Amino acid sequence: MTHQALETGADLRKLVERLYPLCRSITGDGVRATLEILGEHIPLDVHEVPTGTQVLDWTIPQEWNIRDAYVKDASGRRVIDFRESNLHVVGYSVPVAEKMSLDELRGHLHTLPDRPSWIPYRTSYYAPAWGFCLAQDTLDALPDGEYEVRIDSTLDDGHLTYAEHVVTGEVTDEVLVSCHICHPSLANDNLAGVAVAAALAQRLAAEKPHFTYRFLFMPGTIGAITWLARDPERVGRIKAGVVLACAGDPGSLTYKRSRRGDAEIDKVLEFVLAERPHTLLDFSPYGYDERQFCSPGFNLGVGSLTRTPYAGYPEYHTSADDLDFVSTEAMEDTLATLREAFSVLDRNRSYVNLSPYGEPQLGKRGLYDSLGGRSDAKDAQMAMLWVLNLSDGDHSLLDVAKRSGLPFGSVAAAAHALHDAGLLKE
């Protein structure tokens, strides 16, 4: 199968636009349809885990699907209509077919009084319930009277669905990129993240990386818990990782450190973001699936990269998180940051200087001659001296770049040249 390239910001936006109308939840056909579209861009290994399967302390729930839902007034007009917005129905609502007064109905209605034109996003995954979400302005305009209420949904034994994409590297040590795919029509949270991840996977595959990169597209919380539970041996190969979300909003980038606080990925993102407007946050057990990867039993070196963080913008979990809220420029910037971060991570090594007593003579090895005429000759020369001096087995190339103030690329190139000349060993 030929996969469609995601080459430009416009391509990322088109993917977000295609995915936006689908009604997703933690299970169901909306997730499968999302992965089918994503599979047009990158090959996916799709997993179906049956209802009732024990995953750590959790159990895979019943599968939820919905065909239609509405509230009709006495004239038969749909005053709340799932066909207009899939946010109108509380996720995982049980089937309903009743008539009731407005007063009875109010207990099942959710609005945002401080944002009266916006529809909130609400769910009830693990407790049987039903409800509708609507704009406060719409609710205020409803007259007293009898209303027909219908939610045409099913909750049956089925499956939880998630997918993986692997970019095979030179070694089996893995770097994770995890995205949640359980939200319905919310463009930033997290369709922008899904599109950026797919584009990143395409670019890494073309670069033939050192590490193996595993991309996870899963429902939030229960998906990560399921993945962690299914193959503990594979979890042991995880060297680093990033939970990617909210990749398209107008805010500057935010990185939340792993639970370890000083994991390699934490150091890499801090280094890369230093040249950009950004915010660094310490770990907290609140947010996206970094909570699961950084739970104390796993304690993986996995951080979280967003633009505006979890629940940090007014549009979060509302109908205002729409296609107009995300921009191609923001998605391109998030993608560029991740590419740079993984380029550093992929080349970061620790070396030992094999000629540590005094400065080795670089000229007789042709290392100075190789710099002749280069516009960056001074940086390259200084990079060699710094790499030789700090290659004691305790400092990585990232440490060298940070201490010297030199570009990481210059430091990595110097280390490569010194290694080829027999002056360093990894």
Side-chain angles (χ1 to χ4, degrees):
M1 175 182 177
T2 301
H3 291 93
Q4 300 172 18
L6 296 166
E7 295 179 343
T8 67
D11 293 333
L12 297 181
R13 182 163 191 87
K14 287 176 185 175
L15 178 55
V16 171
E17 290 172 350
R18 284 190 67 194
L19 295 174
Y20 183 77
L22 300 177
C23 184
R24 283 165 292 271
S25 188
I26 57 172
T27 63
D29 292 334
V31 173
R32 295 186 185 96
T34 297
L35 295 176
E36 185 175 346
I37 291 172
L38 192 59
E40 297 174 11
H41 299 280
I42 54 174
L44 293 176
D45 186 7
V46 178
H47 304 273
E48 299 270 3
V49 185
T51 295
T53 302
Q54 189 71 24
V55 286
L56 304 181
D57 195 45
W58 295 59
T59 304
I60 300 297
Q62 289 189 310
E63 181 177 323
W64 183 70
N65 285 293
I66 183 167
R67 287 166 290 276
D68 194 12
Y70 56 81
V71 173
K72 289 183 179 179
D73 64 14
S75 71
R77 180 177 66 92
R78 293 190 179 208
V79 293
I80 308 173
D81 190 353
F82 172 77
R83 295 179 303 190
E84 292 182 355
S85 171
N86 54 44
L87 297 180
H88 273 312
V89 175
V90 171
Y92 256 67
S93 284
V94 299
V96 179
E98 297 184 25
K99 291 187 176 181
M100 61 186 67
S101 68
L102 181 59
D103 284 344
E104 292 176 285
L105 181 58
R106 283 182 188 276
H108 297 276
L109 301 181
H110 304 271
T111 64
L112 296 168
D114 58 335
R115 304 282 183 178
S117 64
W118 295 0
I119 303 167
Y121 165 56
R122 298 287 184 270
T123 64
S124 182
Y125 295 141
Y126 301 106
W130 64 270
F132 288 87
C133 299
L134 68 160
Q136 181 67 44
D137 289 342
T138 302
L139 177 58
D140 291 344
L142 294 181
D144 289 333
E146 187 176 68
Y147 289 85
E148 180 186 348
V149 180
R150 179 75 190 276
I151 298 178
D152 183 11
S153 64
T154 55
L155 271 168
D156 296 317
D157 286 353
H159 297 82
L160 177 142
T161 308
Y162 71 92
E164 300 178 271
H165 169 77
V166 176
V167 179
T168 303
E170 297 172 353
V171 299
T172 58
D173 289 345
E174 293 189 0
V175 178
L176 287 184
V177 179
S178 177
C179 295
H180 62 274
I181 57 167
C182 51
H183 289 173
S185 295
L186 300 176
N188 192 46
D189 183 23
N190 187 32
L191 296 178
V194 170
V196 168
L200 178 62
Q202 288 185 352
R203 284 154 178 75
L204 284 170
E207 293 164 4
K208 300 179 180 178
H210 177 70
F211 295 114
T212 292
Y213 289 79
R214 185 177 297 273
F215 290 77
L216 306 175
F217 301 95
M218 312 180 295
T221 306
I222 186 65
I225 286 170
T226 300
W227 185 84
L228 287 164
R230 296 190 78 200
D231 194 345
E233 182 180 340
R234 178 179 55 194
V235 172
R237 297 199 297 267
I238 303 304
K239 176 182 175 64
V242 172
V243 173
L244 177 60
C246 301
D249 69 76
S252 60
L253 285 158
T254 299
Y255 177 70
K256 186 170 87 171
R257 297 180 178 93
S258 71
R259 180 178 179 269
R260 298 179 190 175
D262 62 351
E264 186 173 10
I265 192 68
D266 301 327
K267 297 174 182 177
V268 167
L269 262 300
E270 183 177 355
F271 177 78
V272 169
L273 288 172
E275 301 300 319
R276 297 169 165 84
H278 72 282
T279 302
L280 290 174
L281 301 175
D282 287 330
F283 176 79
S284 72
Y286 176 75
Y288 293 113
D289 280 332
E290 67 276 4
R291 309 188 328 262
Q292 315 310 327
F293 298 119
C294 294
S295 56
F298 294 108
N299 197 27
L300 298 175
V302 175
S304 172
L305 184 69
T306 61
R307 301 193 73 81
T308 307
Y310 184 95
Y313 50 97
E315 297 83 357
Y316 177 80
H317 279 197
T318 77
S319 57
D321 184 356
D322 58 15
L323 294 172
D324 291 333
F325 184 60
V326 300
S327 72
T328 57
E329 293 80 11
M331 288 189 285
E332 288 172 332
D333 181 54
T334 307
L335 175 59
T337 302
L338 279 168
R339 288 193 72 189
E340 184 178 347
F342 286 164
S343 176
V344 172
L345 181 69
D346 216 54
R347 294 180 290 166
N348 194 30
R349 308 279 188 278
S350 293
Y351 290 94
V352 173
N353 185 343
L354 297 178
S355 183
Y357 298 102
E359 183 180 298
Q361 188 174 358
L362 301 181
K364 72 180 183 182
R365 293 174 172 88
L367 292 171
Y368 275 150
D369 294 342
S370 69
L371 305 179
R374 284 176 50 169
S375 60
D376 64 342
K378 185 177 180 181
D379 275 359
Q381 179 180 334
M382 288 303 300
M384 286 188 184
L385 298 177
W386 273 108
V387 170
L388 284 168
N389 191 268
L390 292 180
S391 289
D392 52 11
D394 294 328
H395 292 87
S396 70
L397 296 184
L398 181 58
D399 294 328
V400 176
K402 289 171 70 174
R403 186 161 173 180
S404 68
L406 294 167
F408 181 85
S410 297
V411 170
H416 182 75
L418 291 166
H419 180 270
D420 286 352
L423 288 170
L424 298 180
K425 75 171 182 179
E426 191 172 337

